[in-house]
Amino acid sequence: MTARESTLTQLNIAVKAAQDKGAEDLVALDVSEPLPFVDVFFIATGRNERNVMAVAGEIEDQLNAAGHKTLRREGRSEGRWVLIDFGDLVVHVFHEEERLYYSLERLWKDCPVLPIAVPASASAE
């Protein structure tokens, strides 16, 4: 099983929103095989609590504006690990320390990594 095209469209919106707010270490994992109710985990890192909240807020705002409903949100008030569930796409925005501690990439290492689009301005440098 692989991630659906509609989920990849959501992922592209989330990636652009995260990049717009300066998120780092963007990773997308296709978790559709072990988790039949989710297609993709999108993981991003914020530099500090304020940045984590800004990245998570922008992702949620952009996906909502594109018609994708937020099903659940956790951790936004602390700004250390924000989880936003959009159904087929689950977004994790971590503070650097939590990203290292929880290491979702290691936990889900058997899942394929999906390519992340690099903005045209960054690829031209």
Side-chain angles (χ1 to χ4, degrees):
M1 186 176 235
T2 59
R4 290 176 279 242
E5 195 63 39
S6 61
T7 308
L8 298 178
T9 299
Q10 290 179 15
L11 174 63
N12 289 334
I13 294 167
V15 166
K16 182 175 180 334
Q19 290 171 331
D20 287 350
K21 290 296 180 181
E24 301 172 346
D25 300 325
L26 307 180
V27 174
L29 301 174
D30 183 338
V31 295
S32 61
E33 187 67 33
L35 299 176
F37 51 89
V38 176
D39 281 354
V40 175
F41 279 177
F42 174 52
I43 307 166
T45 301
R47 297 178 304 279
N48 53 50
E49 288 88 352
R50 177 177 268 171
N51 187 230
V52 168
M53 291 186 299
V55 170
E58 184 69 9
I59 291 170
E60 187 171 14
D61 289 348
Q62 292 302 317
L63 281 165
N64 289 166
H68 306 287
K69 183 179 177 189
T70 303
L71 302 178
R72 190 176 73 202
R73 176 188 331 104
E74 295 181 19
R76 192 163 183 176
S77 62
E78 294 84 20
R80 303 294 291 182
W81 176 6
V82 179
L83 180 145
I84 312 167
D85 182 355
F86 294 96
D88 294 332
L89 173 69
V90 175
V91 175
H92 301 268
V93 183
F94 284 100
H95 186 282
E96 290 175 300
E97 294 165 2
E98 275 71 10
R99 175 92 179 250
L100 289 172
Y101 181 79
Y102 290 103
S103 188
L104 290 186
E105 296 96 317
R106 182 178 48 81
L107 291 173
W108 297 95
K109 67 184 177 201
D110 294 336
C111 296
V113 176
L114 298 169
I116 299 280
V118 177
S121 59
S123 63
E125 295 176 1

